[in-house]
Amino acid sequence: YGTVTGVQTCALPISDHFGHIGVNSCIRLGKALEKWNLAWLEDMVPWQYTDLLKEIKAAVDLPLLTGEDIYLKEPFAELCRQHAVDIIHPDLATSGGILETHKIGDMAEEYGVPMAMHFAGSPVSCFASVHCAAATENFLVLENHSVDVPWWNDLVEGVEKPIVNHGFITVPDKPGLGITLNDEVVKQHLHPRYPGYFEPTPEWNNERAWDRLWS
């Protein structure tokens, strides 16, 4: 298939964060948004409700997408088998890592379902996603939330800057992820709640009260 040198980041018109609304409201809203020809409607209902997703998908003439909260391949396989969504949307940092996400993409391709990738984090998980995307044939686009963070590019070294250049990220050809942490810049932007640098954080071992099964 040739050499993949760049991965496209998301600059598409989409609609997300619907809140907890019913199926009928999702359909009414989706129909109202059809005239804008959006790339997709994201996470309209929790991903576990396969039949409800199919009902929305059948009623609305816009692509349906979900998956950023799904862990491992099997739940994605159920969505793809039933064609409950038009596009899957794993987040490599929470779906099981590079290899598992690659397997998710390969599985979805067998059902004719493309894979967009959710991403909202540091350049480390960004480049993990980039490598996975470049190796997955049905990859569509990589989400990105850091365009307005002035120091985001400076967190790592060893790659072209800006990292996102005219909507594309160059795939590194160095060992590993192809990046090196810029320790000084990282230390300047540690969260006040976690001021240590690579120190133990046992507080993350406990379930947080605001955890939930979907975004």
Side-chain angles (χ1 to χ4, degrees), residues 28-40:
R28 289 177 61 193
L29 182 57
K31 286 183 174 295
L33 292 171
E34 285 177 354
K35 64 181 179 180
W36 303 109
N37 195 29
L38 301 178
W40 63 67

Side-chain angles (χ1 to χ4, degrees), residues 51-94:
D51 289 341
L52 300 185
L53 286 167
K54 290 172 67 175
E55 184 178 345
I56 298 168
K57 181 174 179 284
V60 177
D61 290 329
L62 285 173
L64 218 61
L65 169 148
T66 196
E68 68 180 75
D69 299 309
I70 298 178
Y71 176 55
L72 299 181
K73 180 181 72 175
E74 288 71 22
F76 284 103
E78 183 66 16
L79 289 171
C80 292
R81 270 195 299 268
Q82 298 203 37
H83 291 279
V85 292
D86 299 282
I87 308 166
I88 59 168
H89 195 216
D91 187 317
L92 179 143
T94 55

Side-chain angles (χ1 to χ4, degrees), residues 68-149:
E68 68 180 75
D69 299 309
I70 298 178
Y71 176 55
L72 299 181
K73 180 181 72 175
E74 288 71 22
F76 284 103
E78 183 66 16
L79 289 171
C80 292
R81 270 195 299 268
Q82 298 203 37
H83 291 279
V85 292
D86 299 282
I87 308 166
I88 59 168
H89 195 216
D91 187 317
L92 179 143
T94 55
S95 63
I98 295 175
L99 180 57
E100 185 71 11
T101 307
H102 179 57
K103 290 179 180 179
I104 290 168
D106 285 350
M107 174 278 301
E109 184 179 11
E110 295 182 5
Y111 295 96
V113 179
M115 180 177 74
M117 295 179 69
H118 180 271
F119 163 69
S122 76
V124 176
S125 55
C126 175
F127 278 101
S129 298
V130 164
H131 282 287
C132 180
T136 308
E137 188 175 354
N138 69 330
F139 166 73
L140 183 63
V141 68
L142 174 66
E143 190 170 355
N144 177 38
H145 285 260
S146 301
V147 292
D148 296 324
V149 181

Side-chain angles (χ1 to χ4, degrees), residues 169-186:
I169 299 175
T170 300
V171 182
D173 58 4
K174 299 175 184 176
L177 297 182
I179 55 175
T180 303
L181 277 181
N182 186 329
D183 296 281
E184 293 307 313
V185 175
V186 174

Side-chain angles (χ1 to χ4, degrees), residues 187-205:
K187 289 176 183 178
Q188 292 171 16
H189 300 285
L190 295 174
H191 194 285
R193 186 177 174 186
Y194 308 105
Y197 192 55
F198 285 101
E199 295 178 3
T201 54
E203 59 270 31
W204 284 93
N205 296 334

